[in-house]
Each structure stands twice: as structure tokens, then as C-alpha cells.
Amino acid sequence: PAAQNPAIFPVLFLRIERSKLYLQRSGMTLTEIACAVGFEDQSYFTRIFKRQVGVPPGKYRANNLTA
């Protein structure tokens, strides 16, 4: 998919990559993370995250928590 190619959508790619760090290392809500990385709409963030990463952000967090 095009969203997985950072050359096509570099801003979205970088926002999702940054959101992965928040998901792994913070207790922020998905809405807070979406806002922190530049998405105005949490549902859009979730849709783009799932398209790029392959799983929704909540599941990603559950599988990748770090202390």
C-alpha cells in the first residue's frame, strides 16, 4: 500500500513512527497521542496507523509496551 512507502507520504510515515514511541513508552490516551503527533482526528489516526503498521494502535501498544 502507498501509505507504507515513506517516499510517497513522508509526513504521515513520520507521524506514525513517532506515535509508536508514545504507544510504547507513555500512558497517553490514543486521542492524546493522535494530537501530539499532528492528527486532529483520532479515528483518522487509527485508520492510518492500521494501514501503515498492520494492527490498530491499541493492539500495537498491548504487544509492544516497554518500561
Side-chain angles (χ1 to χ4, degrees), residues 12-62:
L12 287 179
F13 180 83
L14 292 174
R15 286 178 180 175
I16 295 301
E17 289 302 303
R18 191 165 15 129
S19 74
K20 289 179 182 180
L21 296 176
Y22 284 116
L23 289 165
Q24 292 170 5
R25 301 177 183 166
S26 80
M28 295 167 68
T29 67
L30 293 181
T31 301
E32 291 170 331
I33 292 171
C35 184
V37 299
F39 288 93
E40 293 182 19
D41 181 350
Q42 188 253 317
S43 63
Y44 180 63
F45 162 68
T46 298
R47 197 163 52 250
I48 297 300
F49 188 98
K50 185 175 180 183
R51 188 180 303 158
Q52 183 171 312
V53 180
V55 295
K59 187 168 186 175
Y60 179 87
R61 170 179 266 169

